[in-house]
Amino acid sequence: MARRIAASLRVAAMSERLAQVAPMTAAAGPAVVETLVERTQPDREAGSVSEQQQDITGLRQSLDEVDSGIVRLIARRSGIIAAIAEVKEQGSALIQDADRERRVLAGVEAVATDLGVSASLVRRIFRELISDSVAQQARMLNEEAGGRVRVAFQGAAHAYSEAAAQKYIAGRGLGGDLTGYRTFRAAVGALLAGDVDLAVLPIENTTAGSINEVYALLREHELSIVGEETWKVNHCLAAVADVPLSSLSRVLSHPQGLEQCAQFLQSLPQAVPTTYFDTAGAMRAVAAAGDPTVAAIGSPEAAAAHGLVVLRHNIADAEDNYTRFVVLAAAAAAVDVRIPCKTSLILATRHEEGALLRCLEVLSGSGHSMTKLESRPRPGRPWEYLFFLDFEGNAADPRTAAALDELRSAALYIKVLGSYPAKALRHRARPGELPDRQPGESPVDALEAVAAVEVPAGRRSRQYKLVDRAARQADTIVRVGDLLVGGDGFVVMAGPCSVESAEQITATARFVRDHGAHVLRGGVFKPRTSPYAFQGRGWEGLDLLVAAGRETGLPVVTEVMAVDQVQRMAKVADILQVGARNMQNFDLLREVGKVDRPVLLKRGLSSTIEEWLAAAEYVVAQGNQQVILCERGIRTFESATRNTLDLSAVVVVRERSHLPVIVDPSHGTGLRRYVAPMAWAARAAGAHGLLIEVHPSPEEALSDAEQSLSFEEFAVLMRRLATIPGSGDAA
Ligand code: PEP
Ligand code: MN
């Protein structure tokens, strides 16, 4: 049944496919539409294609045609971008529009989901395309002429630094002659000697942190940062032959490569990690030695270039492993003020109390947001520090220039390293929003939202202090990836009670995402009343949930039942749920309080609001402030519903605590026909969101079948939800 529903959804998505693609590409001309129609045909009937064309060369030919079609479309896109840049050149508009970018990403992800293509793949590709468009427009605004530049990088051919340098110059529409130097110092030496125009050096890695030596070089020499670039590092392990990992005696790589794969290397205790001057050089050395017991860590491209066999892909400890590079020149270059820029500087503070704070206040007071602050030892001055600081701003802008002047008088020493077009910016988070109201749905305009209540002054609980409203007037807003939970937004977390199969979780993820859900839920460790009931699919289920979340671009929430599951689960789950039955498992609360992950804390079956808030205090007291409360119904004498959903808890909690609170009407009522009305009521009562159980075929669900919504029921719930004013709409 589940499979049939998933299959019919797919067919429906297919038939919408061309309708969706056509309007998108219509502006680009009928030829493009035709190309797409042609190209999409063969994979739709993959079976028949392979029957007709047994010959793999034929298939590869088709693939080559698709690939050049993609490139032609990119060329057209770039033509349109150029036209837009010309229009912008006349005005004063900024060339980067975060809202528009977000809409573009959401639009292409929706198309991807319909076509059964990974939304996260499409998102990655489009982020690159958008960032390239911004660079293209910036280039035009700055009237850069093109031409060739000589660029220094550290390492051998095929090093990550070379790839990043290539990406940077290609983004500027330049050609380049790239030269690898053995050390960072040698690359900088070449720049200072005038042998090259630019040096591209790594400054920090999202897994291993800052690269000290490059900071030291920036401090010591008169260099200007004129640009930055990011590179997604994809480490693999390669050797001369396809040998078992257990036979390796040594692994060569740059110290950064070894550090970024530390956990993987621990799983190979017999292989001695050996530092090498760079990753590509390590690959070359392994190839030259010809010893099958020696392997190297580096890029798959470097492995291929040296004819090595990849033994294992993606071995870095963190999946999202990026390196940020700075582009250095001998002299600063002014950048057009319409281009979003960062400014980097080195700062030493005065020997006064609160000196750093005063410097930071200069920036925040003038509306400059800081993107990085790093403290480094001041050479020759034990226990004194220099600060390396990046903020969003352009020294060519009078407002930023004034702030820099003010900073000069507040600090002891300042060295401005440069203002340059920003590439590595954290994606802006957005509050959860509901889909637009559908025409014909009657808005419940008369319903007044009740929230943002006046807080009675001075009321303090003896059970808790940090989560008390008296400790913090402003609402706590919890950031989950790029999503904000709390405040004025409204967040819908939806998905099955239990993850059952890849098909079930993937189909549900796609459906709920397309109908406005922000987070995917799915239990993998299930707290069941009977030990004979389905207990969940455990870690294997977690892999399925995470894969479905990645594919649809939704963060995931899942229940953690035991102390020893916390660390492992925190590595991949975006929100850790503590279930009703564990609300007073104090060891578990303390453990989730130690990790840097948002926690969804459900109210206990028979717990008072005070006990619930005291449980939240256990988490917060350990240092983790990111708690989202969840009302899910309590035990009363009433037996018409599974639990009694206590909606008054929402208003009480919002008064007594600053933590966000959401409502779970699925467990709160236990019956699917009651879920939607209570969901609407929760929104009207001022809840910050909902947790809803949805299943492709609810009656066949392995847990909580009676309360799980079908896809259609979920769609109706969401449509109506958008018509109900929530606390964020209150004037
Ligand atoms: C659940 O969310 O699947 C769950 C078990 O919830 P609760 O802890 O509220 O019963
Ligand atoms: Mn459940």
Side-chain angles (χ1 to χ4, degrees), residues 626-660:
Q626 310 162 89
V627 177
I628 304 160
L629 298 164
C630 179
E631 162 62 39
R632 47 80 68 206
I634 46 174
R635 275 287 161 89
T636 66
F637 54 81
E638 183 52 71
S639 59
T641 48
R642 177 179 175 183
N643 291 291
T644 300
L645 184 65
D646 180 13
L647 282 185
S648 59
V650 172
V651 284
V652 176
V653 162
R654 289 199 56 163
E655 181 180 284
R656 294 194 186 180
S657 175
H658 50 81
L659 294 176

Side-chain angles (χ1 to χ4, degrees), residues 497 521 526-527 559 577 579-581 602 632 664 667 691 693 704:
C497 178
R521 69 149 284 154
K526 297 303 300 176
E559 177 164 353
Q577 174 173 328
R581 291 153 195 84
K602 288 201 153 189
R632 47 80 68 206
D664 171 358
H667 293 87
L691 182 70
E693 288 187 343
D704 286 349

Side-chain angles (χ1 to χ4, degrees), residues 156-174:
H158 309 289
Y160 292 110
S161 292
E162 186 188 24
Q166 251 150 8
K167 184 180 173 195
Y168 176 77
I169 57 174
R172 320 283 299 181
L174 299 169

Side-chain angles (χ1 to χ4, degrees), residues 342-614:
K342 269 191 207 168
T343 295
S344 294
L345 50 88
I346 304 176
L347 183 109
T349 54
R350 292 179 180 275
H351 305 284
E352 298 163 2
E353 221 162 285
L356 177 62
L357 183 63
R358 258 190 301 287
C359 291
L360 300 184
E361 272 169 356
V362 170
L363 291 178
S364 67
S366 53
H368 290 91
S369 93
M370 193 168 66
T371 56
K372 181 168 182 181
L373 178 64
E374 168 103 20
S375 81
R376 316 230 44 97
R378 212 172 159 192
R381 307 275 209 118
W383 322 123
E384 287 187 27
Y385 299 89
L386 284 174
F387 296 96
F388 282 75
L389 198 152
D390 295 348
F391 65 89
E392 289 177 39
N394 182 348
D397 180 341
R399 199 174 51 101
T400 305
L404 284 172
D405 278 343
E406 215 183 312
L407 210 49
R408 281 187 183 96
S409 61
L412 194 65
Y413 163 80
I414 265 199
K415 176 174 174 180
V416 178
L417 298 170
S419 293
Y420 49 91
K423 270 244 147 143
L425 284 179
R426 195 175 172 203
H427 291 284
R428 242 176 262 279
R430 64 198 148 85
E433 279 163 10
L434 291 172
D436 291 339
R437 279 178 202 178
Q438 299 283 317
E441 295 287 333
S442 63
V444 195
D445 285 335
L447 213 55
E448 288 265 320
V450 197
V453 275
E454 284 289 308
V455 184
R459 199 204 65 83
R460 276 182 188 270
S461 166
R462 268 201 281 269
Q463 316 274 11
Y464 51 84
K465 54 183 185 195
L466 298 171
V467 306
D468 198 324
R469 178 64 90 176
R472 189 184 149 88
Q473 282 296 304
D475 282 353
T476 283
I477 294 177
V478 176
R479 182 172 172 146
V480 182
D482 292 345
L483 176 75
L484 301 177
V485 182
D488 285 349
F490 192 83
V491 169
V492 178
M493 309 186 186
C497 178
S498 302
V499 173
E500 296 169 9
S501 67
E503 295 78 30
Q504 173 241 21
I505 191 68
T506 310
T508 312
R510 288 182 185 160
F511 189 89
V512 299
R513 196 203 81 144
D514 288 350
H515 290 79
H518 308 92
V519 177
L520 178 65
R521 69 149 284 154
V524 298
F525 293 104
K526 297 303 300 176
R528 304 304 300 281
T529 303
S530 161
Y532 307 116
F534 174 62
Q535 303 287 306
R537 288 195 57 176
W539 297 114
E540 181 204 356
L542 183 62
D543 290 342
L544 299 177
L545 177 71
V546 169
R550 283 199 169 262
E551 199 222 274
T552 48
L554 294 176
V556 300
V557 54
T558 192
E559 177 164 353
V560 59
M561 293 228 301
V563 168
D564 62 10
Q565 292 168 352
V566 172
Q567 291 287 345
R568 181 166 168 190
M569 203 175 257
K571 288 213 175 77
V572 290
D574 300 284
I575 306 177
L576 302 177
Q577 174 173 328
V578 173
R581 291 153 195 84
N582 270 320
M583 190 205 84
Q584 285 190 321
N585 179 340
F586 300 116
D587 287 340
L588 182 62
L589 295 174
R590 272 192 283 256
E591 197 64 18
V592 296
K594 289 177 195 155
V595 294
D596 178 17
R597 275 283 179 238
V599 173
L600 183 76
L601 178 61
K602 288 201 153 189
R603 180 175 177 185
L605 296 145
S606 304
S607 300
T608 64
I609 292 171
E610 285 290 288
E611 286 161 347
W612 187 19
L613 291 175

Side-chain angles (χ1 to χ4, degrees), residues 239-241 243 247-250 285-295:
V240 288
V243 294
S247 73
L248 296 176
S249 65
R250 260 189 329 141
V286 165
D291 178 350
T293 72
V294 183

